[in-house]
Amino acid sequence: MDLNRQKKAPVYEALERFRKQRVVPFDVPGHKRGRGNPELVSFLGDRCVGIDVNSMKPLDNLCHPVSVIKEAEELMADAFGAAHAFMMVNGTTSAVQAMVLSHVKKGEKIIMPRNVHKSAINALILCGAIPVYIDPKVDTNLGIPLGMELSDVKKAIEDNPEAKAILINNPSYYGICSNLKAIVDLAHENGMKALVDEAHGTHLYFGPNLPLNAMAAGADMAAISMHKSGGSLTQSSILLCGPDANIGYISRIVNLTQTTSASYLLLGSLDISRRNLALNGASSFEKVTKMAQYAREEINDIGGYYAYGKELKNGGSIYDFDETKLVVNTRKIGLTGIEVYDLLRDEYDIQMEFGDLSNVMAYISIGDRLQDIERLAGALADIRRLYSKPEQSFFSAEYVTPIVKATPQEAFYAEKESLPIDETVGRISAESVMCYPPGIPILSPGEVITEEILGYIKTAMEKGCSMQGPESEDISELFVLK
């Protein structure tokens, strides 16, 4: 990485030059630097709406960058150790979909863990590729899915030698990392591309003593949520490419789904955040890791909770652990993670990242402060004292092994009918059902609906998980294949 060059922020600098020119706008957006919508200016401020502008020659165009955006993408690639980087304004969802759509077409196979984000499943609906799912191992005590075992990946390759690519989560939502380098090497040895959903791994490129990142492991592509741990605005992400990527073709794929009206607020935030990470990321994430470790110690001292870390590593399904993820298991205080999540928000004004049936997560990053960590630990101690119950057994894990009977595309577009959810056992689902966050489907199109899956969905709903996917707003009905 060229640190001197990384001091530049070409999109941000171009926007600042534009701001000073006081150009008369006869283009979109129609608010005309806020003059047409004073309430918007009051809400966001002059500086924000003043650079909410359309693409123009001085500011380049994200669909076909030739100047400042092109330079910003080159700097992004340099900072992340990639051959090329695409700035993405449709979130990491569009980056994951671009990875999948770039490498598999209708009828072709792609190997992936079943606990992928819904964006990967939706990409299969769009292109008609055939998923070869690897069921993750589960930790039934913690209630979380783990990484991909190398032996399971080898078997999937042996059984499906014609597969075009392998998709890998690194790290998972819970901070679990598979043996990334070994899986990438295995893919390449068998003529397959290695694609990495690294939505939760921006910091892996900058912080010391963190798990291996996708580009360092030799992956072909990686989708990165800069807005999660990298500090940019929500919905801004990047798509990284290795040296053998067909950039022209990938660019065409990206432009199939990405907006032609890219937000310069998002692009500017990506540019500034990349510069900040390149220049200050190592020291920033060293502090983040220490803060998360301090939080673990404080929370584990309370009793009843288990904030887990690198002690989980087993050389296989938990090859490594991302210590910046502060995940707290709540089972021993008799409350689900979602109940603790709700109590923290409603009674203590603390907003956590998510709660599931066994865990609650705090996303520790560059904007956190030590006093906030101490406030969280104090609130958790209070909750244990005031609200704890005898330990209960809700379910075995945050993952139910599916029975796949059709590809996501076949099921999504098939003739279907809506049934009360209790009458769907044994039928093939035409919809997805998931808790959001994290957006990992409990049920995907093409999978058989079982009593176990319905039990999981009902328990999650009863405990207050936010459910998404079906057309039925209250999840009382599901569309199934006729």
Side-chain angles (χ1 to χ4, degrees), residues 106 202 220 239 326 333 336 358 382 435 446:
K106 187 176 179 67
T202 306
D220 297 284
L239 178 60
L326 179 61
I333 65 163
T336 64
S358 294
D382 249 20
C435 298

Side-chain angles (χ1 to χ4, degrees), residues 103-104 109-112 163-167 187 192-195:
H103 289 93
V104 284
K109 290 182 178 179
I110 179 169
I111 297 168
M112 58 173 64
K164 300 293 182 183
I166 300 176
L167 181 67
M192 301 175 189
K193 298 294 184 182
L195 316 175

Side-chain angles (χ1 to χ4, degrees), residues 34-99:
R35 291 195 298 272
N37 194 343
E39 195 174 5
L40 186 67
V41 179
S42 177
F43 177 49
L44 295 177
D46 283 320
R47 290 185 63 80
C48 185
V49 295
I51 58 166
D52 180 38
V53 294
N54 195 28
S55 296
M56 58 187 76
K57 279 188 178 180
L59 298 179
D60 208 356
N61 190 307
L62 186 61
C63 295
H64 186 73
V66 294
S67 59
V68 292
I69 294 176
K70 182 181 180 183
E71 185 181 1
E73 290 185 335
E74 288 169 354
L75 288 167
M76 192 77 76
D78 178 53
F80 281 81
H84 186 85
F86 291 91
M87 298 170 85
M88 307 292 289
V89 295
N90 283 25
T92 310
T93 287
S94 66
V96 169
Q97 290 176 347
M99 287 199 306

Side-chain angles (χ1 to χ4, degrees), residues 288-450:
V288 168
T289 304
K290 287 178 179 175
M291 212 181 302
Q293 189 53 40
Y294 171 72
R296 271 189 197 88
E297 292 165 4
E298 291 290 297
I299 292 166
N300 286 332
D301 282 346
I302 296 168
Y305 297 106
Y306 177 31
Y308 39 92
K310 286 207 169 189
E311 71 278 2
L312 296 181
K313 287 167 59 174
N314 61 17
S317 57
I318 311 175
Y319 185 79
D320 208 344
F321 185 82
D322 174 12
E323 289 186 286
T324 69
K325 302 289 188 297
L326 179 61
V327 192
V328 183
N329 190 270
T330 63
R331 282 187 175 185
K332 289 192 181 300
I333 65 163
L335 298 175
T336 64
I338 191 68
E339 288 171 320
V340 174
Y341 171 98
D342 286 341
L343 285 166
L344 285 167
R345 183 193 61 242
D346 297 341
E347 303 297 328
Y348 298 90
D349 295 327
I350 294 173
Q351 180 60 55
M352 301 293 273
E353 166 65 14
F354 87 108
D356 61 32
L357 294 181
S358 294
N359 306 277
V360 65
M361 180 199 279
Y363 213 103
I364 311 296
S365 195
I366 54 180
D368 286 300
R369 304 172 300 175
L370 202 57
Q371 59 261 43
D372 297 329
I373 298 289
E374 288 166 349
R375 183 173 164 184
L376 171 61
L380 288 172
D382 249 20
I383 287 170
R384 180 187 180 234
R385 180 172 55 85
L386 297 171
Y387 300 100
S388 63
K389 303 173 185 175
E391 186 177 352
Q392 304 172 58
S393 178
F394 300 115
F395 65 107
S396 62
E398 282 288 322
Y399 175 77
V400 180
T401 301
I403 303 165
V404 181
K405 291 291 185 181
T407 70
Q409 188 183 68
E410 288 166 348
F412 187 85
Y413 289 109
E415 196 174 349
K416 53 187 95 56
E417 61 181 335
S418 183
L419 293 177
I421 192 166
D422 288 327
E423 296 176 21
T424 62
V425 173
R427 302 293 291 272
I428 299 172
S429 178
E431 300 184 286
S432 289
V433 183
M434 70 203 74
C435 298
Y436 193 89
I440 296 165
I442 302 162
L443 183 66
S444 280
E447 295 174 356
V448 176
I449 301 165
T450 63

Side-chain angles (χ1 to χ4, degrees), residues 93-319:
T93 287
S94 66
V96 169
Q97 290 176 347
M99 287 199 306
V100 174
L101 297 175
S102 298
H103 289 93
V104 284
K105 301 189 286 290
K106 187 176 179 67
E108 294 180 340
K109 290 182 178 179
I110 179 169
I111 297 168
M112 58 173 64
R114 173 54 183 78
N115 59 322
V116 290
H117 188 262
K118 66 175 184 176
S119 56
I121 305 287
N122 289 344
L124 301 180
I125 291 172
L126 292 174
C127 71
I130 301 167
V132 175
Y133 292 128
I134 294 177
D135 288 328
K137 300 293 189 293
V138 295
D139 186 314
T140 53
N141 293 318
L142 298 178
I144 60 171
L146 306 178
M148 289 195 290
E149 290 272 17
L150 206 54
S151 58
D152 292 338
V153 178
K154 284 178 180 174
K155 185 169 191 319
I157 290 173
E158 288 167 5
D159 292 346
N160 302 274
E162 73 280 22
K164 300 293 182 183
I166 300 176
L167 181 67
I168 310 148
N169 293 336
N170 184 74
S172 76
Y173 205 57
Y174 299 90
I176 306 296
C177 298
S178 302
N179 188 344
L180 183 61
K181 181 72 168 67
I183 295 173
V184 169
D185 289 347
L186 201 55
H188 291 163
E189 287 163 13
N190 288 274
M192 301 175 189
K193 298 294 184 182
L195 316 175
V196 183
D197 180 349
E198 215 161 26
H200 299 279
T202 306
H203 50 290
L204 304 188
Y205 290 82
F206 302 98
N209 303 317
L210 288 172
L212 186 69
N213 65 67
M215 289 296 106
D220 297 284
M221 296 183 80
I224 311 277
S225 289
M226 275 284 274
H227 65 93
K228 288 189 169 74
S229 60
S232 64
L233 290 177
T234 295
Q235 201 177 308
S236 58
S237 300
I238 55 174
L239 178 60
L240 302 178
C241 302
D244 297 328
N246 184 341
I247 302 304
Y249 179 66
I250 294 167
S251 178
R252 287 165 56 201
I253 295 292
V254 166
N255 285 331
L256 285 177
T257 56
Q258 182 151 260
T259 178
T260 56
S261 303
S263 166
Y264 278 90
L265 296 173
L266 299 182
L267 292 173
S269 81
L270 281 171
D271 205 21
I272 292 168
S273 300
R274 180 269 315 152
R275 180 171 68 179
N276 180 46
L277 292 177
L279 300 179
N280 307 306
S283 59
S284 295
F285 287 116
E286 184 176 16
K287 290 176 187 172
V288 168
T289 304
K290 287 178 179 175
M291 212 181 302
Q293 189 53 40
Y294 171 72
R296 271 189 197 88
E297 292 165 4
E298 291 290 297
I299 292 166
N300 286 332
D301 282 346
I302 296 168
Y305 297 106
Y306 177 31
Y308 39 92
K310 286 207 169 189
E311 71 278 2
L312 296 181
K313 287 167 59 174
N314 61 17
S317 57
I318 311 175
Y319 185 79

